[in-house]
Amino acid sequence: MSSPQPAGQHTVRRHNSALVLNAIADPSGHSRAEIAARTGLTKATVSSLVDRMIGANLVVEGAAAVRPGPGRRGTALYLAPDGPHGLGVEIGVDYLATCLIDLTGEVRARWLQPVDNRSLSPARVLSRVAKAVKTALAEAERMGVRVGGMGVAVPGLVESATGILRVAPNLGWREVDVRGELRRRAGLDDIPVLVGNEANFAALAELWQGTGPRDFVHVSGEIGIGAGIVVDGGLFEGVYGFGGEIGHMMVDPRGPECACGSRGCLERVAGQEEILRQAGVLDDRVPEELVADLLDRLAKRDRKALAATRSAAKSLGVALSGVVNLLDLPTVVLGGTYARLAPWLWEPLRAELTQRVVSSEWSPVEVIASTLGAEAAVHGAAGSAVRAILADPDPYVTAVLA
Amino acid sequence: MSSPQPAGQHTVRRHNSALVLNAIADPSGHSRAEIAARTGLTKATVSSLVDRMIGANLVVEGAAAVRPGPGRRGTALYLAPDGPHGLGVEIGVDYLATCLIDLTGEVRARWLQPVDNRSLSPARVLSRVAKAVKTALAEAERMGVRVGGMGVAVPGLVESATGILRVAPNLGWREVDVRGELRRRAGLDDIPVLVGNEANFAALAELWQGTGPRDFVHVSGEIGIGAGIVVDGGLFEGVYGFGGEIGHMMVDPRGPECACGSRGCLERVAGQEEILRQAGVLDDRVPEELVADLLDRLAKRDRKALAATRSAAKSLGVALSGVVNLLDLPTVVLGGTYARLAPWLWEPLRAELTQRVVSSEWSPVEVIASTLGAEAAVHGAAGSAVRAILADPDPYVTAVLA
DNA sequence: CCTATAAGTTTGATGCCTAAACTTATAGCG
DNA sequence: CGCTATAAGTTTAGGCATCAAACTTATAGG
């Protein structure tokens, strides 16, 4: 826990810089005068802060806005498309993804390579990752943009203070210092690196996509089941960063045994693998094909597939109603494979939630499907870097101008 | 959601006032120079802020500190014992409690009246409460202290934005505007009133008591089972204020039917009533006597009592491991009746948590029993008022000095 | 071309903080 | 007893970010 810091004038500027930049982030483009009106600052202050941010290449002036009536036209302000970019990396179980994202959240470059990372040692995987990072950095240099930060999504428990990956069951990793290794192997001396759980980054991607809710729990089921909790527009990580573990919440004490040693864990009962097994489509094809097969059978109203999905939805509803009761969240977002299964999950899931959530009478729980595809986590990872700048631009501005 | 506010010099003073006052809150008593050193502010700034707070009667100077070596002695600063007090009210199911608390958290006056509030209409209960509030305010006037705020603990779901009690099952209340009614009936025009859930206030009392953990979940089981979640020294309330509902988390899908319509809810399976029933001590005596009987039997190693308690502990462990996995909390605090049962709950509870919490290998979950008695909730309610001032003293100071 | 209106800049004042000098108070020592 | 070193607390001058208000620039409409 860092001890609280005293405030001075610089604190004021820092706060107001963030306030102004977030007003500018509106893609419709506002003038300095409009920003002043909507932030409550004076035009003079806004001008002064905007000048600094233009100098640091966070903001650009656009064309004069067309506005009816008399008076001078304001110059619209936008986030600089060639401002600092965020680099996202995802170490998946069977692929490696990277992308470059600009301040507006637009993806400017992406890479995807299928690799079976389970069969490789962490050292080999990390050297591949380092190579991918170098490729992305080279591309950023070619584009003439600065990389302001980097996010790395991993399918495991990451200790937020140290960035150490404590365990990634589906990767077979334990105690890997992902941040340190990447710093060393890819030469990232001056770029902030944030390592985090894949489900959490996916939830953040959902948050930053469009104008969705600011409070929700995002569940995604691929190999495991992960949840990302977003409260008041920020990720809830927990004290050590291990928050959002929902996979081993117990749904049935007499349920099937789980690899973790307990019985009836959500992951074991409502995970992708169990749905496929119960639907009778589990064989040695790649997951993607199996899911496609399942969706096909669901569309054809296959009895076993429907029953399997319905049963999973009910278990998911039990676990999620616990989450919602505890955290009082108005929205559940289905991500990953659950997003694709959403049409069949919806009704039983909603029924469970309505019945079990104590406050549903006053604040009904909304269930929505994510519109982001499989790349949600990389986007979230890349986005975390640019969002860090948007949320607190002044240190970046000061560093650039110095 | 309130839109973000611009910062100015007043924001700086406000922030630093809180910083300084929190340093002064250390009961060992520090001089201005020490406060300056530990906050990072200059002596000049600290002097200026302290002068204002002395003027507003939040801080008093004590005797000169005895310190070895040469040099002038500093004057120790303390929270003013006669500064603003907090008024706490608890509307229990079968009692009404009030208390006055000073800035240091010391209880300066307390009242308790047994009343069966279930059998009375909300209007009648509220008029009793208003009377109790008036008594407390009169006592505060007699003591010559100002009442800076008031907290009201109720056993139900309170919407934080409006202060409306949506439902209190064990009281049989629905949609009661407790804040508005009390304001009207007790004439509290200029005193801030905060209405909240009893379990949440109990958790806050635990937080403010001594130097315990800043992140924990506090479970208390009286009639229902309530949880208060404290994260980073603040209560996690959820979007609408309905957070911390743990009583209807499902522990066994084939368990006994619950009044809520589901089966195997934690409250039904591990609540005080079920423990007493399974132990064979449930009759028409008052709850206090029944619990005493149970404790007696446990001390005498009564088989049925031990089995009942153990079974409840396991169920509690299942539910709490879900909570801890989700929120990554390092500590579970047992409150209310569970605190008294703690010696018999510990072992099975810890076993469940260790087995089920995914991150327990890196951050073992600590289980502790609350040292606060049945009055935790009133203390928390009263404390919330003084803590509001301590957390942000400047508006109060400005108002008093104006 | 003049007027009204609005955007954006300049200027002076205000408030809070800092640094450094200054005053006050105390122990240790000859 | 008085001198010196040391530390607490106060005073003063200066910096900095904001604000209010005056000022400059730009545009529509008559």
Side-chain angles (χ1 to χ4, degrees), chain A residues 174-175 244 326 328 361-362, chain B residues 174-175 240 244 326 361-362:
Chain A
R174 292 182 73 87
E175 308 295 333
L326 199 64
D328 178 32
E361 189 179 331
W362 304 276
Chain B
R174 293 183 72 86
E175 309 294 333
Y240 301 107
L326 199 65
E361 188 180 331
W362 303 276

Side-chain angles (χ1 to χ4, degrees), chain A residues 6-28:
Chain A
Q9 272 85 329
H10 65 278
T11 318
V12 175
R13 191 182 64 188
R14 195 167 163 175
H15 178 101
N16 289 335
S17 291
L19 194 64
V20 167
L21 190 56
N22 279 291
I24 292 173
D26 184 334
S28 52

Side-chain angles (χ1 to χ4, degrees), chain A residues 236-244, chain B residues 323-330 359 363:
Chain A
F236 184 96
E237 288 190 283
V239 182
Y240 302 108
F242 301 147
Chain B
V323 175
V324 171
N325 273 328
L326 199 65
L327 302 179
D328 179 31
L329 295 167
S359 64
S363 58

Side-chain angles (χ1 to χ4, degrees), chain A residues 5 7 12 15-16 174-175 239-242 244-245 250-252 254 262 325-326 328 355-356 361-362, chain B residues 5 7 12 15-16 174-175 239-242 244-245 250-252 254 262 325-326 328 355-356 361-362:
Chain A
Q5 293 298 310
V12 175
H15 178 101
N16 289 335
R174 292 182 73 87
E175 308 295 333
V239 182
Y240 302 108
F242 301 147
E245 279 302 312
M250 204 199 58
V251 168
D252 184 354
R254 293 175 205 76
S262 302
N325 272 328
L326 199 64
D328 178 32
Q355 196 210 324
R356 302 191 112 95
E361 189 179 331
W362 304 276
Chain B
Q5 292 299 308
V12 176
H15 177 100
N16 289 335
R174 293 183 72 86
E175 309 294 333
V239 182
Y240 301 107
F242 302 146
E245 279 303 311
M250 203 200 57
V251 168
D252 183 353
R254 293 175 205 76
S262 302
N325 273 328
L326 199 65
D328 179 31
Q355 197 210 322
R356 303 191 110 94
E361 188 180 331
W362 303 276

Side-chain angles (χ1 to χ4, degrees), chain A residues 223-268:
Chain A
I223 313 289
I225 297 182
I229 301 162
V230 174
V231 176
D232 199 23
L235 188 67
F236 184 96
E237 288 190 283
V239 182
Y240 302 108
F242 301 147
E245 279 302 312
I246 196 185
H248 299 279
M249 190 169 269
M250 204 199 58
V251 168
D252 184 354
R254 293 175 205 76
E257 265 187 46
C258 175
C260 77
S262 302
R263 291 183 160 278
C265 295
L266 177 65
E267 193 164 301
R268 179 71 182 76

Side-chain angles (χ1 to χ4, degrees), chain A residues 6 57 62 124 148 273 318 328:
Chain A
N57 196 28
R124 291 189 82 97
E273 193 175 317
V318 168
D328 178 32

Side-chain angles (χ1 to χ4, degrees), chain B residues 255-388:
Chain B
E257 264 186 48
C258 176
C260 77
S262 302
R263 290 185 161 276
C265 294
L266 176 67
E267 193 164 302
R268 179 70 182 76
V269 167
Q272 179 176 304
E273 193 175 317
E274 182 68 9
I275 300 179
L276 294 170
R277 188 196 334 268
Q278 284 187 24
V281 291
L282 189 61
D283 52 45
D284 54 5
R285 283 174 290 173
V286 295
E288 177 50 37
E289 281 179 57
L290 292 169
V291 172
D293 190 348
L294 175 67
L295 288 167
D296 205 47
R297 293 184 192 216
L298 286 169
K300 289 176 183 152
R301 303 189 178 285
D302 175 272
R303 286 270 298 280
K304 276 174 79 179
L306 287 170
T309 309
R310 185 172 192 84
S311 156
K314 283 190 162 187
S315 295
L316 204 53
V318 168
L320 286 175
S321 56
V323 175
V324 171
N325 273 328
L326 199 65
L327 302 179
D328 179 31
L329 295 167
T331 310
V332 169
V333 180
L334 299 173
T337 303
Y338 289 140
R340 303 172 68 184
L341 294 175
W344 295 277
L345 295 172
W346 261 343
E347 186 264 311
L349 188 50
R350 286 206 176 111
E352 288 291 332
L353 286 168
T354 308
Q355 197 210 322
R356 303 191 110 94
V357 171
V358 182
S359 64
S360 65
E361 188 180 331
W362 303 276
S363 58
V365 184
E366 199 183 359
V367 181
I368 60 180
S370 171
T371 54
L372 296 159
E375 290 178 62
V378 221
H379 288 192
S384 69
V386 296
R387 287 283 164 168

